[in-house]
Amino acid sequence: MKYIFYLIILSVFFSCGKEKTILLPEINHSNISEIKDVSPAYLFYDETKTDSVELNRKNLISTTNWLVNVDKRLTLKQAIPHIKFLQEKKKNSSHKNENAKNYFTCNDTSKKSLGFIEFTDVIFHEESSEEYISKISDLKYSENIKPISINLKGEISILNSNSKPFIIKSTKETILNDLKKLDSGKNIIFLNFNEGLFFQDYITYKSLLLKADLQYATLSNQEFLHN
C-alpha cells in the first residue's frame, strides 16, 4: 500500500509541471498503518500564496477514503478552513459511500512508515468551547464537559469540576497523569487549540490523547480554535 501511495504523490507533482514537497507531521505511534481504496488531497506550505497554503484536491473521489496530507508548517488558522471545505465537499457529494472515512497522513517514527489519524466525524469550530456552550442552552451533559485549552507556548489548562471549578495546569509530558485527576463520572473533553499553533502541534496532542486510556473521560468530536 505504501508503494502505491508514493506513486500517487509523484503523479500529482509531475502533472502540475513541477515537483512539490510536503512535510508530513510526525507521530510516535499510530493504530492505523494501512488504508485501502484511497484518494489523496494535499495542503502545501507555499510562501508565495497570500495565506501560505495551497490546496490540491484534483484526485479526490467522493466514494473512497480520503487521505488529507497537511504540511506540518501550516498553522491551524491556515489549514482548518481548507479541511472544513473538504469535509463539506464530501458530505454534500451526490455520490456517497457511508463507509468511506477521512484521515490525516503522518510519519510514524516508531515504525518508520506512514500512520493515519481519522477525523471523519470531527467538527471544527472557529470559537472557544466556552462561547459555543453559552449559545447551546440544551446541550446534554454540559455539567460533565471538561475543556482543555492549549496555548501558543504549549501550556495546557484543564478545567475540572463545575461545582467547585479549578484549573489543572499541565504539560505535554504530564497531561495523561493529570487527566486522571478529573472527577469520576461521564466526562466529555472539549479540545481548544490556539489557532496559531502549527499543524504538527495539533497532531502531537491529538495522537497523545487518542492513545490514552481515559478512565473517566471521552474525547468529544467537537474541537475548537481560539486566538
Side-chain angles (χ1 to χ4, degrees), residues 1-9 38 40 67 69 105 114:
M1 181 271 172
K2 182 169 64 174
Y3 176 70
I4 295 174
F5 182 74
Y6 280 114
L7 284 180
I8 293 173
I9 291 179
V38 301
L67 304 183
N69 306 276
T105 310
L114 294 179

Side-chain angles (χ1 to χ4, degrees), residues 5 31 68 75 83 110 140 172 192 202-203 206 212 222:
F5 182 74
N31 291 326
V68 180
T75 65
I83 294 168
S110 66
K140 293 182 178 180
K172 183 171 62 178
N192 293 262
Y202 170 77
I203 289 295
K206 280 279 289 186
Q222 313 271 350

Side-chain angles (χ1 to χ4, degrees), residues 183-194:
D183 299 334
S184 61
K186 189 177 179 181
N187 294 311
I188 303 171
I189 295 176
F190 275 12
L191 294 177
N192 293 262
F193 298 93
N194 187 287

Side-chain angles (χ1 to χ4, degrees), residues 151-213:
N151 67 19
L152 280 176
K153 296 180 180 179
E155 297 169 337
I156 304 170
S157 300
I158 307 171
L159 178 60
N160 188 36
S161 180
N162 282 330
S163 57
K164 294 182 180 179
F166 66 94
I167 300 292
I168 300 172
K169 294 296 184 181
S170 187
T171 66
K172 183 171 62 178
E173 291 72 27
T174 65
I175 186 171
L176 297 186
N177 284 330
D178 290 333
L179 285 174
K180 295 177 182 178
K181 301 174 185 177
L182 293 177
D183 299 334
S184 61
K186 189 177 179 181
N187 294 311
I188 303 171
I189 295 176
F190 275 12
L191 294 177
N192 293 262
F193 298 93
N194 187 287
E195 64 183 10
L197 285 168
F198 292 110
F199 196 73
Q200 173 65 71
D201 300 317
Y202 170 77
I203 289 295
T204 296
Y205 291 111
K206 280 279 289 186
S207 63
L208 184 66
L209 292 168
L210 285 172
K211 71 178 182 180
D213 181 17

Side-chain angles (χ1 to χ4, degrees), residues 49-202:
K49 301 293 183 181
T50 302
D51 58 359
S52 298
V53 57
E54 176 186 345
L55 171 63
N56 186 308
R57 57 182 180 88
K58 295 179 181 178
N59 295 314
L60 286 177
I61 301 172
S62 60
T63 56
T64 63
N65 296 304
W66 285 8
L67 304 183
V68 180
N69 306 276
V70 182
D71 195 298
K72 65 181 182 180
R73 295 169 292 181
L74 293 172
T75 65
L76 294 181
K77 184 177 182 179
Q78 293 168 324
I80 294 301
H82 295 279
I83 294 168
K84 290 173 66 176
F85 168 78
L86 291 174
Q87 289 177 312
E88 287 299 313
K89 178 178 174 63
K90 192 170 191 178
K91 179 181 178 181
N92 297 324
S93 172
S94 57
H95 303 286
K96 292 185 179 181
N97 175 3
E98 298 299 331
N99 295 318
K101 309 296 184 182
N102 299 330
Y103 300 88
F104 292 127
T105 310
C106 307
N107 281 325
D108 187 335
T109 57
S110 66
K111 300 175 183 176
K112 296 183 179 179
S113 63
L114 294 179
F116 306 93
I117 293 178
E118 185 183 345
F119 70 98
T120 309
D121 298 322
V122 173
I123 301 173
F124 297 100
H125 300 269
E126 295 180 48
E127 61 181 341
S128 70
S129 61
E130 287 82 0
E131 292 173 303
Y132 171 75
I133 292 171
S134 68
K135 299 174 185 177
I136 311 297
S137 58
D138 60 344
L139 187 66
K140 293 182 178 180
Y141 311 118
S142 59
E143 69 276 9
N144 296 108
I145 291 174
K146 310 296 184 185
I148 294 180
S149 297
I150 303 169
N151 67 19
L152 280 176
K153 296 180 180 179
E155 297 169 337
I156 304 170
S157 300
I158 307 171
L159 178 60
N160 188 36
S161 180
N162 282 330
S163 57
K164 294 182 180 179
F166 66 94
I167 300 292
I168 300 172
K169 294 296 184 181
S170 187
T171 66
K172 183 171 62 178
E173 291 72 27
T174 65
I175 186 171
L176 297 186
N177 284 330
D178 290 333
L179 285 174
K180 295 177 182 178
K181 301 174 185 177
L182 293 177
D183 299 334
S184 61
K186 189 177 179 181
N187 294 311
I188 303 171
I189 295 176
F190 275 12
L191 294 177
N192 293 262
F193 298 93
N194 187 287
E195 64 183 10
L197 285 168
F198 292 110
F199 196 73
Q200 173 65 71
D201 300 317
Y202 170 77

Side-chain angles (χ1 to χ4, degrees), residues 13-61:
F13 291 167
F14 291 126
S15 67
C16 293
K18 62 179 181 178
E19 184 175 354
K20 295 182 181 180
T21 59
I22 190 166
L23 299 182
L24 292 174
E26 297 181 349
I27 54 177
N28 58 23
H29 173 78
S30 175
N31 291 326
I32 308 172
S33 58
E34 183 176 357
I35 304 172
K36 298 179 180 179
D37 190 22
V38 301
S39 297
Y42 305 92
L43 276 131
F44 295 100
Y45 177 74
D46 189 342
E47 292 180 324
T48 67
K49 301 293 183 181
T50 302
D51 58 359
S52 298
V53 57
E54 176 186 345
L55 171 63
N56 186 308
R57 57 182 180 88
K58 295 179 181 178
N59 295 314
L60 286 177
I61 301 172

